[in-house]
Amino acid sequence: QPCWREYLTTRIEQNMVVNCTCPISECRAQPTTAFIYSIVSSEEIIAKYEKALLRCYVECCSNLTWCTNPQGCDQILLKDGLGYGAACSKCSWISCFNCNFPEAHYPASCSHMSHMTCAKCNHGFCWRCLKPWRPNHKDYYNCSAMVSKAAWQEKRFQDYNERCTFHHHAREFAVSLRNSISSIREMPKIRNLTFVLDACKVLEQARKVLAYSCVYSYYNQDTESMDIVEQQTESLELLTNAL
């Protein structure tokens, strides 16, 4: 039993307990949960084991995922199949269920969030795997003949990037403001500030949409639809600034 305890404890601490087998090379039997509970007595090690089981279960279920809040959240989310999820009940973060980007990014598509373009030669590639976005770079681009176009593309990228960055910073300000008001709200003799908190939430969401609208607009090549999108974005930005 001491040998088994040491073996299982080591596997759990190394995060290798799931699907582990008997230490005898000829034996492929796997220790059951009941067996592990009977051998391992440390509450800390058992807690790690249960976390490993939960993590394995979530990863095996196609309709489950973890909240992707970069600040850290251990909430499990149920995918709704729409490409974005409802706000996390624990931290209110909205995750994207279709790609590895850490948050829902409407109106920008998942393709927009992974498609990067070189400002010098216009070469498109995927930022996750760094492979060419199109089959063959030389078949679609001619770096030496596109200097002026590359300069224009670089300026265009900088403009959209600056706008996107501004809205992200403004969104952080809305979050900070909401947190400050929440703390003030706890003070005695302060009147109800719910309407201000609601305004901050709307402001945060509007800044998020405006930020990802920049991504959408940068990649959208349809001139006719872009006129409509730009008009709507400009209107939303004016109202958001007023708020």
Side-chain angles (χ1 to χ4, degrees), residues 52-165:
L53 287 181
L54 179 61
R55 184 167 54 250
C56 180
Y57 176 76
V58 173
E59 292 173 355
C60 290
C61 293
S62 59
N63 65 330
L64 296 179
T65 187
W66 297 99
C67 175
T68 57
N69 190 334
Q71 300 300 320
C73 179
D74 58 0
Q75 188 78 347
I76 298 172
L77 307 178
L78 177 65
K79 298 181 181 180
D80 58 11
L82 298 177
Y84 56 90
C88 173
S89 60
K90 185 174 182 179
C91 69
S92 300
W93 188 261
I94 304 179
S95 306
C96 178
F97 292 155
N98 287 338
C99 70
N100 293 329
F101 197 74
E103 70 172 342
H105 41 73
Y106 179 84
S109 68
C110 295
S111 174
H112 291 154
M113 303 315 297
S114 59
H115 184 186
M116 303 299 291
T117 304
C118 174
K120 181 177 181 180
C121 69
N122 210 31
H123 169 55
F125 63 94
C126 173
W127 75 269
R128 288 198 291 269
C129 67
L130 301 183
K131 292 182 179 179
W133 196 256
R134 294 185 176 184
N136 194 323
H137 181 194
K138 64 182 179 182
D139 289 345
Y140 292 92
Y141 305 99
N142 185 339
C143 299
S144 61
M146 295 180 64
V147 176
S148 59
K149 184 177 180 180
W152 175 81
Q153 284 280 20
E154 183 175 6
K155 178 63 169 60
R156 182 170 179 268
F157 172 79
Q158 288 176 348
D159 290 342
Y160 278 107
N161 185 56
E162 287 177 2
R163 287 168 56 189
C164 183
T165 301

